[in-house]
Amino acid sequence: MASGSDRNPIIIGGLPSQVPDFDPEETQEWLDSLDAAVDERGRERARYLMLRLIERAREKRVAVPEMRSTDYVNTIPTRAEPFFPGNEEIERKILNATRWNAAVMVSRAQRPGIGVGGHIATFASSASLYDVGFNHFFRGKDEGDGGDQVFFQGHASPGIYARAFLLDRLSEDNLDAFRQEKSKAPHGLSSYPHPRLMPDFWEFPTVSMGLGPIGAIYQARMNRYMHARGIADTSKSHVWAFLGDGEMDEPESLGQLTIAAREGLDNLTFVVNCNLQRLDGPVRGNGKVIQELESVFRGAGWNVIKLIWDRTWDPLLAQDRDGILVNRMNTTPDGQFQTYATESGAYIRDHFFGDDQRLRAMVEGMTDDQILHLGRGGHDHKKIYAAFKAAVEHTGQPTVILAKTVKGWTLGPNFEGRNATHQMKKLTVDDLKGFRDRLHLPISDKELESGAPPYFHPGRDSEEIQYMHDRRKSLGGYVPTRVVRAKPLALPDDKTYATVKKGSGQQSIATTMAFVRLLKDLMRDKELGRRFVLIAPDEYRTFGMDSFFPSAKIYNPLGQQYESVDRELLLAYKESPTGQMLHDGISEAGCTASLIAAGSAYATHGEPLIPVYVFYSMFGFQRTGDQFWQMSDQLARGFVLGATAGRTTLTGEGLQHADGHSQLLASTNPGCVAYDPAFGFEIAHIVQDGLRRMYGPDSEDVFYYLTVYNEPIQHPAEPANVDAEGILKGVYRFSEGTSGSIPAQIMASGVAVPWAVEAQKILAEEWNVKADVWSATSWNELRREAVACEEYNLLHPEEEQRVPYVTRKLAGAQGPFVAVSDWMRAVPDQIARWVPGTYQSLGADGFGFADTRGAARRFFHIDAQSIVVGVLTELAREGKVDRSVLKQAIDRYQLLDVSAADPGAAGGDA
C-alpha cells in the first residue's frame, strides 16, 4: 500500500524557474530560435515545435514542469518588475493608520453593553492588496462612466471603513456605530458590504461566500455585453474580485471559471488572499492551496500570477544555484508554513533551512530577526503593484493573482497565523501597545490604558491624507461609491398590452406562452425593446422562446462560426456578437448572476436593463435562493419567471421537478414582489405595474417573481369592468355565483382558478351552493400588506386602525372560504387570520411524483371535485348542509380512487 506522501504529492515534477543563468549566451540562442520561428513561421508552427521539444524532453527523462503547476515562487521575476510609481513611505504610513483604525473599530464594538463583534484578521492579511488597488488601480465614477467594479471580501469591511474615515467619507461616530445600524442611526455601518443598507457606499454584497466570485465573472461579462450592444461604453471598466483561499472551496467560486476564459474576459481579475486559513483552521494543511488553485485556474484557461514571496527573499533566490531553496519551498506544506508564521527566527533557521547544509549556508549571515521577517508577497507593495499591473495589461484571458499572506498580519503574536484568529475580536492593552509599536503610531500608553483605544488620524492637512485624495482624484473618485444616474424609462402605453388582454379565444395556451406573447409586444417598443435582457438556462425552446432566436439572437462575443443544424428552419438557432439573449447553459447559478448584473446596471453603469429570467420554477428559489437574496441586497430589478410552476403540472417529471413551495420561499425575500397569475390579462396588468414600479419616475428597489404554468387553458378576455386594483393588490372576484341558494366562497390562484370555476358549476348544479370564485393573484402581497397594517396599529393605538386589504375586499362575502392552489397549504394559509369568516385551504403538500395531472390532483385532493367536497365540508361544519352529504359526495366523485380522476390535458406547450 502506498504511503501517505506517495498518495498525496505536494507538487508534481518541475525544475526551479529562478535558478541563476550560468550560460546566458546559450540561453539567448534558444530564445532567438523561438523568436525566429514565431516571426518567420507563425505561432502555430512555434507551438508545434515547443510540443515536440517537451515530448523529446520526456523521452530523455528531463524533468519539465507540468504547465498546470509551476514552482512555488513569484510568477513575475525580480528583473521583470516594473517601476513602482508611488511613494512607498507615505503609503506605508497610510496603511498603518488604516490597519489601526480597522482593528480599533472592531475592538470598540466589543465594548461592554455592545458586544456586536466584527472581524479583524481578514483585513489585516489583505490590507496591502487593497491599498495598492486604492492608490494605483481602482477607477472611480467621477468621469461619468461606471468606473471599476470592485467586489470586496466581506470580512475585510472594517478596513474599507477605516480608509473611508481617513478620507473624511466617514466620521468617528460612524466607526463607533459599526454593526449598530438602528440603535446608532443615522451613523450606523453595516457589518459587511450591503448596498441595501448603505446604498451610497457599497455596490456589491459579497459576504455570502462564493457569490462574490461568480458575481464578478458575470459582471465582467455583462460589461462586455452592454458594450457590444451599444448600451454603454464599458471599455475602461475593470472588475476586481477580492476573495479568500478558503472561500474557493465554495462550488460557486470555481464553478463558472470556464465561461470567463471562453469569452476572453481580460477585464476581470481575481485576487485570492491566500492566508492559508479558513475560519478556524488551515485550508490545505497537508497540501499547498496556491499550487492547487494554480492548477485549477490554468486548466480553466486563466492567466495565473503567483505572488508568494516579498523582496527579502530575492537575494536568497539569486544564490539558489542548484534549486535547493525552491525545492524546499515546493515541498513544504501549508500547515508547516503556518507554523513558521507563529514561531521564532531560530525555529525557522533550524526547521526550514537547518537540515540541508546548502540551505543553512544561505542564511549564515542573517540574524534570527532577519530570518523571522522573511515575508510573504501579499504584504509587499512593489510586488503587489507588479502583479496588478501585469493583470490589467494582460489581454485575451482573465487573470487570477494568488497572493500569499499571513492572517492577522501586524496584529501581534496572539493573532498572527493562529487558528482562532478569525473569531478574535478584541485586543488587550498589551496587544494594542505591541500593535501600535509595530505600526509606529504616535499614541501614548496612557491613551491605551484609559478606556477605549483611540482612533488615529494624521490630520486633514497631513502629507498622507493629501496623498490619498490626490491618488483618488487621479483615478476618478472615491471607491467604493454607488451612484444612480439612470433616468426613468419612457414606458409603453396601454395599447402594447391589448393583444394579451383579448384572451386566447378558442386556442388553449399556457400562462408561460401568454407571458411570451406579451414580451414580444414589449420588445417591439423602440425605447424599451432594446433594454430587455432575456436569460434562460438552456431551456428557451421549452419555454416557447425560440421565436426570439431569429430577431433577438443569442449573445456570443465570437458570433456563430458554424452552420446551425437547423439553419433552414424559421426559428433557427442564431448566435451574434450583438445578441440580446443570454444562453448560459445548464447553470441556474450562472443565469442568476447574469440577472443580478443586468438588474443593477441602472446603478453600475447608469443604464437601465430589464432582465427577464425564465427557468423551471423548482430550480429557482430553492436552488439559487441565496443569490435572490443577493439580488435584493444589490437593489437589482427585473422579472423572474418560475415557469412550469406547481406541484402537479409537470406530469412526467416527478419529485425533483415538482415545485409546490417556491411562492412560500419567495415570501421570505423582502425585495421580491411575487404573483401567481391565472390568465393573460392578469399578467398584462402585473407586468405593466412592474415596469412602472421598477423603471418609472418613482422607481423602487424590488424585483418581480411570476409563477407561470405549462398547462394549456383557454384564456378569457379581460372583463369590461376588470378590477385592476384587486389584481395588483392580490385578490379580486373573478366569477360571481349565479345559481344556488347556499353561499360560499372559493379562492384560487394560478392554474387552480379553472378548477375552482368547474367546482363552482358543480356546486350550483348538484348541491344548491352559490359559490363566488376569487382569483388570488398574490397570497404573498396580501399578507405583506396585512402585516404592515398590524405593525402600524401596534404602534399607533390612538390613531384610526388600519384594516388589511384582504379583509376589506372580502367583507360582505358570505363564507365559508375555501382556498386552493397547486402549492402547499402554507402558501394560501398566509392570509388565514385576516379572512373575515371560516377559512380552510387545500394544497399539494408532500413530495411530487410522475403521473397524469388529473391523478396527481386527485391524490392531493385539489381538483374540482375535491374543492366541491372541501366547500361542502365547511358548510356542514357551519350547519348549513347535512353532514350525510359529505360521504355521498366522496363516493360520487370517487375521491379515494386516484385512477378514477379525469387525466386532464396532456402535455403542454411550455
Side-chain angles (χ1 to χ4, degrees):
M1 183 175 179
S3 68
S5 59
D6 291 335
R7 287 183 286 110
N8 297 294
I10 291 171
I11 189 169
I12 302 174
L15 285 173
S17 59
Q18 293 200 5
V19 172
D21 190 348
F22 299 110
D23 195 344
E25 201 171 305
E26 181 185 26
T27 302
Q28 193 59 49
E29 289 175 3
W30 280 83
L31 295 176
D32 289 344
S33 297
L34 177 61
D35 291 345
V38 174
D39 295 340
E40 296 173 15
R41 304 294 299 278
R43 292 180 178 175
E44 283 302 311
R45 175 60 179 167
R47 179 178 180 274
Y48 175 78
L49 292 173
M50 288 298 300
L51 291 173
R52 288 301 304 273
L53 282 171
I54 292 172
E55 182 180 50
R56 180 56 58 87
R58 288 174 178 165
E59 291 173 1
K60 297 290 186 182
R61 292 190 165 185
V62 176
V64 179
E66 295 190 19
M67 291 305 294
R68 68 183 181 88
S69 181
T70 60
D71 289 308
Y72 201 64
V73 293
N74 295 346
T75 300
I76 301 173
T78 305
R79 65 180 181 277
E81 290 174 6
F83 170 75
F84 180 69
N87 185 318
E88 196 167 8
E89 178 61 22
I90 292 179
E91 292 189 16
R92 182 186 63 78
K93 291 180 180 179
I94 292 169
L95 185 54
N96 287 350
T98 306
R99 285 182 181 278
W100 175 266
N101 291 328
V104 165
M105 178 180 69
V106 174
S107 187
R108 287 167 70 117
Q110 280 296 101
R111 62 192 180 275
I114 301 297
V116 292
H119 297 280
I120 300 176
T122 293
F123 177 72
S125 64
S126 57
S128 296
L129 300 170
Y130 287 116
D131 210 49
V132 172
F134 279 122
N135 288 331
H136 302 285
F137 292 95
F138 302 158
R139 290 181 59 252
K141 298 175 180 288
D142 287 357
E143 294 179 10
D145 61 7
D148 284 356
Q149 289 81 56
V150 185
F151 289 70
F152 294 95
Q153 193 176 359
H155 291 106
S157 61
I160 313 306
Y161 291 141
R163 196 174 209 279
F165 165 69
L166 294 178
L167 289 166
D168 275 342
R169 300 185 65 203
L170 297 175
S171 66
E172 281 197 24
D173 288 338
N174 291 127
L175 298 193
D176 272 346
F178 176 58
R179 292 191 168 193
Q180 300 154 73
E181 297 171 78
K182 301 301 182 183
S183 61
K184 292 294 180 66
H187 304 295
L189 297 181
S190 64
S191 52
Y192 303 120
H194 289 305
R196 182 169 287 276
L197 301 176
M198 295 179 65
D200 299 324
F201 193 85
W202 296 115
E203 280 196 281
F204 306 105
T206 54
V207 82
S208 188
M209 290 193 218
L211 299 192
I214 194 171
I217 289 173
Y218 283 87
Q219 182 62 58
R221 186 198 193 204
M222 184 56 59
N223 290 359
R224 290 285 170 83
Y225 170 89
M226 295 181 70
H227 189 81
R229 294 194 52 226
I231 292 174
D233 182 359
T234 62
S235 58
K236 296 180 181 179
S237 291
H238 197 88
V239 178
W240 300 83
F242 286 80
L243 319 165
D245 48 356
E247 181 178 7
M248 304 313 288
D249 286 340
E250 289 283 4
E252 295 88 352
S253 295
L254 300 176
Q256 290 295 293
L257 297 184
T258 53
I259 189 173
R262 187 166 65 246
E263 298 197 5
L265 298 181
D266 51 19
N267 61 337
L268 171 66
T269 297
F270 275 15
V271 182
V272 184
N273 174 24
C274 297
N275 58 33
L276 313 186
Q277 287 186 233
R278 293 193 182 113
L279 303 185
D280 59 6
V283 178
R284 296 288 185 274
N286 290 327
K288 300 179 82 64
V289 70
I290 290 177
Q291 302 299 86
E292 178 183 320
L293 291 175
E294 178 187 27
S295 298
V296 170
F297 278 93
R298 283 189 186 279
W302 285 52
N303 174 45
V304 179
I305 298 175
K306 291 196 294 190
L307 176 57
I308 299 178
W309 308 117
D310 74 1
R311 71 192 75 177
T312 61
W313 286 92
D314 290 346
L316 296 178
L317 286 166
Q319 301 175 44
D320 192 23
R321 294 177 175 271
D322 53 8
I324 188 66
L325 176 58
V326 173
N327 183 65
R328 176 55 55 88
M329 292 171 169
N330 285 342
T331 56
T332 301
D334 285 351
Q336 191 62 44
F337 275 124
Q338 288 303 84
T339 298
Y340 293 144
T342 65
E343 289 289 349
S344 65
Y347 179 93
I348 298 170
R349 184 192 300 274
D350 291 341
H351 290 78
F352 184 79
F353 295 101
D355 62 356
D356 188 294
Q357 184 55 41
R358 292 168 295 177
L359 282 177
R360 199 171 185 92
M362 287 185 181
V363 294
E364 279 180 349
M366 297 177 65
T367 66
D368 287 346
D369 188 64
Q370 287 174 320
I371 291 176
L372 179 64
H373 289 93
L374 288 169
R376 299 183 180 183
H379 304 307
D380 187 324
H381 277 212
K382 288 185 177 180
K383 300 283 187 183
I384 296 168
Y385 179 85
F388 281 19
K389 189 171 189 291
V392 297
E393 292 178 353
H394 186 78
T395 59
Q397 293 173 290
T399 293
V400 60
I401 297 170
L402 304 173
K404 189 176 182 180
T405 65
V406 176
K407 196 162 188 175
W409 182 241
T410 72
L411 291 174
N414 292 329
F415 282 79
E416 291 180 354
R418 303 290 176 181
N419 281 340
T421 294
H422 187 80
Q423 304 300 335
M424 297 169 70
K425 310 174 190 306
K426 189 172 178 62
L427 294 97
T428 67
V429 172
D430 287 341
D431 289 332
L432 288 166
K433 289 179 179 179
F435 188 34
R436 172 207 59 193
D437 295 342
R438 181 83 170 267
L439 301 179
H440 307 288
L441 296 179
I443 300 172
S444 68
D445 286 352
K446 183 178 180 181
E447 290 176 282
L448 299 180
E449 293 167 352
S450 55
Y455 297 112
F456 174 74
H457 197 295
R460 290 177 174 82
D461 297 327
S462 67
E463 186 179 33
E464 298 95 310
I465 301 305
Q466 291 307 309
Y467 184 91
M468 294 176 75
H469 284 297
D470 289 345
R471 295 309 305 145
R472 290 317 312 161
K473 183 177 180 180
S474 69
L475 287 167
Y478 300 104
V479 175
T481 299
R482 184 177 179 274
V483 179
V484 179
R485 296 192 179 100
K487 297 179 180 178
L489 296 178
L491 301 178
D493 58 25
D494 292 346
K495 295 179 182 178
T496 306
Y497 303 90
T499 301
V500 173
K501 290 182 178 180
K502 290 179 181 177
S504 63
Q506 296 302 309
Q507 183 184 11
S508 293
I509 65 170
T511 46
T512 302
M513 288 309 303
F515 178 86
V516 170
R517 289 183 178 182
L518 175 60
L519 183 60
K520 286 181 182 177
D521 292 338
L522 288 169
M523 289 179 65
R524 292 190 182 103
D525 185 270
K526 291 182 180 179
E527 167 60 24
L528 209 66
R530 72 189 188 97
R531 296 188 180 275
F532 280 95
V533 181
L534 308 189
I535 306 167
D538 200 31
E539 295 280 7
Y540 278 120
R541 294 188 191 278
T542 300
F543 304 135
M545 299 177 71
D546 47 346
S547 57
F548 291 103
F549 288 165
S551 55
K553 301 182 179 62
I554 295 163
Y555 172 72
N556 188 322
L558 301 177
Q560 188 163 315
Q561 301 178 2
Y562 61 93
E563 288 186 323
S564 173
V565 68
D566 59 359
R567 62 190 178 279
E568 296 181 359
L569 299 179
L570 179 63
L571 304 182
Y573 194 88
K574 185 65 177 176
E575 299 180 70
S576 168
T578 58
Q580 195 165 355
M581 307 170 75
L582 293 178
H583 199 306
D584 288 333
I586 307 174
S587 171
E588 285 83 5
C591 291
T592 311
S594 286
L595 165 73
I596 296 169
S600 53
Y602 73 94
T604 309
H605 293 294
E607 291 289 348
L609 294 177
I610 309 172
V612 177
Y613 172 32
V614 191
F615 54 89
Y616 266 54
S617 65
M618 185 66 162
F619 307 141
F621 273 87
Q622 173 169 297
R623 192 164 197 155
T624 55
D626 195 12
Q627 286 178 284
F628 284 124
W629 198 266
Q630 180 190 26
M631 182 178 185
S632 279
D633 195 352
Q634 198 163 315
L635 311 179
R637 304 165 183 171
F639 291 96
V640 177
L641 274 292
T644 61
R647 186 145 282 161
T648 69
T649 57
L650 275 173
T651 56
E653 295 289 1
L655 187 151
Q656 289 187 320
H657 285 66
D659 174 22
H661 53 280
S662 72
Q663 279 285 342
L664 194 64
L665 297 176
S667 73
T668 66
N669 190 317
C672 176
V673 181
Y675 287 93
D676 187 32
F679 305 116
F681 71 85
E682 294 178 356
I683 292 173
H685 282 280
I686 292 166
V687 171
Q688 186 173 20
D689 189 59
L691 288 172
R692 177 190 63 80
R693 287 182 64 182
M694 294 186 288
Y695 300 97
D698 300 312
S699 57
E700 301 175 47
D701 297 319
V702 296
F703 70 93
Y704 271 54
Y705 178 51
L706 279 69
T707 44
V708 289
Y709 300 81
N710 75 323
E711 183 173 359
I713 63 171
Q714 289 185 3
H715 290 246
E718 177 181 281
N721 59 342
V722 65
D723 183 0
E725 179 189 53
I727 291 174
L728 299 179
K729 287 188 174 293
V731 67
Y732 71 100
R733 190 182 341 240
F734 171 71
S735 175
E736 188 172 358
T738 57
S739 60
S741 61
I742 306 172
Q745 311 296 322
I746 305 173
M747 303 179 70
S749 71
V751 75
V753 174
W755 319 337
V757 172
E758 184 182 352
Q760 178 190 49
K761 180 180 179 183
I762 297 172
L763 284 164
E765 294 177 353
E766 301 182 22
W767 303 101
N768 191 34
V769 174
K770 183 181 181 181
D772 294 342
V773 174
W774 300 77
S775 178
T777 53
S778 180
W779 310 101
N780 295 4
E781 286 301 292
L782 290 174
R783 179 186 184 278
R784 183 171 289 169
E785 189 270 347
V787 168
C789 286
E790 288 198 346
E791 176 75 5
Y792 177 88
N793 295 340
L794 175 70
L795 301 176
H796 301 84
E798 297 180 351
E799 303 292 331
E800 181 180 354
Q801 298 292 278
R802 295 178 178 177
V803 180
Y805 179 82
V806 63
T807 305
R808 288 184 279 120
K809 194 69 176 177
L810 299 178
Q814 291 183 267
F817 295 83
V818 173
V820 62
S821 73
D822 207 17
W823 307 98
M824 61 192 301
R825 294 185 185 202
V827 174
D829 282 352
Q830 293 180 92
I831 66 167
R833 65 179 282 121
W834 300 289
V835 174
T838 303
Y839 185 81
Q840 180 59 274
S841 65
L842 304 176
D845 288 74
F847 291 110
F849 52 86
D851 211 315
T852 64
R853 292 184 176 119
R857 287 160 190 169
R858 178 60 54 87
F859 174 84
F860 287 115
H861 302 303
I862 55 176
D863 59 357
Q865 291 75 17
S866 297
I867 297 171
V868 169
V869 174
V871 171
L872 293 175
T873 299
E874 294 307 310
L875 288 171
R877 183 173 292 137
E878 293 184 357
K880 296 177 180 178
V881 301
D882 192 273
R883 289 192 62 83
S884 63
V885 306
L886 302 182
K887 183 66 166 59
Q888 296 175 31
I890 291 171
D891 291 342
R892 180 183 301 180
Y893 305 129
Q894 298 177 274
L895 290 194
L896 301 181
D897 184 1
V898 171
S899 62
D902 183 336
D909 56 2

